[in-house]
Amino acid sequence: MVVPSATTPARQETVVAAPPAAAGAAASGVVGGGGVTIATVDMSSLATERGAVARRVAAACAAHGFFRCVGHGVPAAAPAAARLDAATAAFFAMAPAEKQRAGPASPLGYGCRSIGFNGDVGELEYLLLHANPAAVAHRARTIDAMDPSRFSAIVNEYIEAMKKLACEILDLLGEGLGLKDPRYFSKLTTNADSDCLLRINHYPPSCNIHKLDHDDQCNIKSLVSTKASNGGNLMAGGRIGFGEHSDPQILSLLRANDVEGLQVFVPDHEGKEMWVQVPSDPSAIFVNVGDVLQALTNGRLISIRHRVIATACRPRLSTIYFASPPLHARISALPETITASSPRRYRSFTWAEYKTTMYSLRLSHSRLELFKIDDDDSDNASEGKA
């Protein structure tokens, strides 16, 4: 198990995983390189091998909290994905003053470089949207002033596709973990007032970042050195596109173009933690376990730490769907995950409480550590402890 540190690791090397083979990658279940493997789950056989797929999903989330999902039915060329990519690429190509009408991110809306409210920065610009039709329609008026209904329709079509896939994966997890209610996780994310989000990140070409210094809306300066003091051993010429963090929500579904940059922090076969460069694959969806899912499973599933390093001379475009519970939802380890040998690890909290804590901390902070129960806490079995 990877236990995230409270601060950003600075002791590990970066390993580039081998790209997936043209044939057999899905069948083998892994993409390997440098002695590090990245699990691959092929969902195309769900109709005939659902039990086996469920076990593979649960095993991948327990091992690293991350896997490459193929055969999911939402390829890059699918209408929903292709239309969203075209619409967001057109938005990011607009003049800075036009884009700024959709910002500043607070936290929703258009943002550039600044991530959150505590000084974190990255070499990117982004759109962060609440994943419900009314909220999307409201933001669309400043994102696509010419035809906001068109933008709303495109975004909502994509959100529906991602919501369906997230629910399928969460139900598979429930089955793979042997939960009494295998749909418990997905029902949290499909509640009428669930707090799901859609984030679209645009990373400018690394070799052209200096050109943005004269842009009032995207004043990207102080480029991070190759060996950043707060980021470990980066790839040659790399800059922090999006700093190290874990996702706070239940589950994240990431789809990106063919430009690499995503790195995950995982142990090698000897248990040594290292940054692994994830090969680009526009046809795949990369699935991340979030903090809330780690808490709900009493630590059986891992909320993976990851980052994006800008190294390419082409723009990277990524879209992430965050499956989240309602703000009032109380997060507590499910009874079947608590045993005499594995007592409750985290105190009960609401998603609203966790979000408030998240916004008060730096991006790299291991937030879930603040909710851990001490070994000598006599109340560690209390559901209502606040």
Side-chain angles (χ1 to χ4, degrees):
M1 176 182 298
V2 179
V3 180
S5 60
T7 58
T8 306
R11 63 189 181 283
Q12 66 289 331
E13 61 186 81
T14 299
V15 172
V16 182
S28 67
V30 296
V31 178
V36 179
T37 60
I38 295 174
T40 296
V41 176
D42 186 353
M43 295 183 64
S44 63
S45 61
L46 271 181
T48 57
E49 300 179 348
R50 186 176 182 88
V53 175
R55 289 189 292 273
R56 285 195 288 270
V57 169
C61 291
H64 292 157
F66 177 81
F67 66 90
R68 170 179 167 265
C69 179
V70 299
H72 46 69
V74 192
R83 280 194 283 265
L84 181 67
D85 289 350
T88 53
F91 171 79
F92 290 122
M94 292 166 59
E98 294 180 83
K99 290 183 286 189
Q100 192 59 30
R101 292 182 306 185
S106 58
L108 301 179
Y110 171 74
C112 188
R113 192 182 183 229
S114 295
I115 303 171
F117 309 112
N118 299 291
D120 292 294
V121 295
E123 310 292 5
L124 83 163
E125 55 182 339
Y126 60 90
L127 282 171
L128 184 60
L129 308 172
H130 204 287
N132 70 61
V136 171
H138 175 73
R139 286 287 172 183
R141 290 179 292 179
T142 56
I143 295 171
D144 187 353
M146 296 291 291
D147 193 351
S149 62
R150 172 184 59 189
F151 186 84
S152 296
I154 290 171
V155 171
N156 287 323
E157 178 188 23
Y158 185 82
I159 286 172
E160 283 304 309
M162 288 297 103
K163 182 186 299 183
K164 180 180 179 181
L165 179 58
C167 287
E168 186 71 84
I169 291 172
L170 288 170
D171 288 346
L172 288 168
L173 263 176
E175 295 169 29
L177 292 172
L179 299 186
K180 294 177 181 178
D181 180 5
R183 297 186 61 229
Y184 181 84
F185 300 139
S186 65
K187 286 189 289 189
L188 279 175
T189 70
T190 55
N191 190 290
D193 51 357
S194 294
D195 192 35
C196 300
L197 300 173
L198 185 71
R199 184 182 184 106
I200 303 105
N201 291 331
H202 175 252
Y203 300 88
S206 178
C207 53
N208 291 335
I209 281 178
H210 67 278
K211 295 180 180 179
L212 296 173
D213 283 347
H214 302 293
D215 182 346
D216 290 339
Q217 304 302 331
C218 204
N219 191 24
I220 298 178
K221 297 180 178 179
S222 302
L223 299 180
V224 182
S225 63
T226 299
K227 289 191 175 181
S229 60
N230 67 340
N233 191 9
L234 308 184
M235 296 184 68
R239 301 178 175 95
I240 296 293
F242 203 110
E244 179 197 346
H245 64 288
S246 63
D247 292 336
Q249 295 88 354
I250 293 178
L251 199 74
S252 306
L253 304 183
L254 181 149
R255 186 181 59 83
N257 62 4
D258 61 350
V259 177
E260 294 184 351
L262 176 64
Q263 297 182 356
V264 293
F265 192 54
V266 295
D268 64 9
H269 62 284
E270 296 179 347
K272 176 185 176 183
E273 295 171 323
M274 61 175 58
W275 287 108
V276 175
Q277 178 88 0
V278 178
S280 62
D281 185 352
S283 67
I285 301 288
F286 293 95
V287 181
N288 289 6
V289 169
D291 296 348
V292 167
L293 191 52
Q294 179 170 327
L296 286 169
T297 60
N298 203 34
R300 286 178 62 179
L301 305 185
I302 306 300
S303 180
I304 190 170
R305 299 183 76 79
H306 53 286
R307 66 186 183 185
V308 173
I309 303 301
T311 59
C313 282
R314 291 186 295 127
R316 173 180 165 87
L317 184 68
S318 63
T319 304
I320 311 99
Y321 175 77
F322 298 103
S324 312
L327 290 172
H328 59 75
R330 182 156 290 279
I331 309 304
S332 188
L334 297 176
E336 49 262 66
T337 66
I338 303 169
T339 64
S341 59
S342 181
R344 188 183 304 279
R345 296 181 59 183
Y346 307 101
R347 67 175 178 84
S348 177
F349 55 87
T350 64
W351 172 233
E353 180 186 2
Y354 198 78
K355 281 188 73 173
T356 299
T357 300
M358 174 188 71
Y359 287 134
S360 70
L361 301 170
R362 294 294 299 270
L363 184 66
S364 62
H365 200 287
S366 294
R367 301 168 292 258
L368 202 52
E369 293 293 305
L370 300 179
F371 293 81
K372 287 189 71 173
I373 294 173
D374 294 333
D375 292 339
D376 59 353
D377 190 338
S378 60
D379 296 325
N380 64 2
S382 173
E383 287 289 327
K385 185 175 179 180

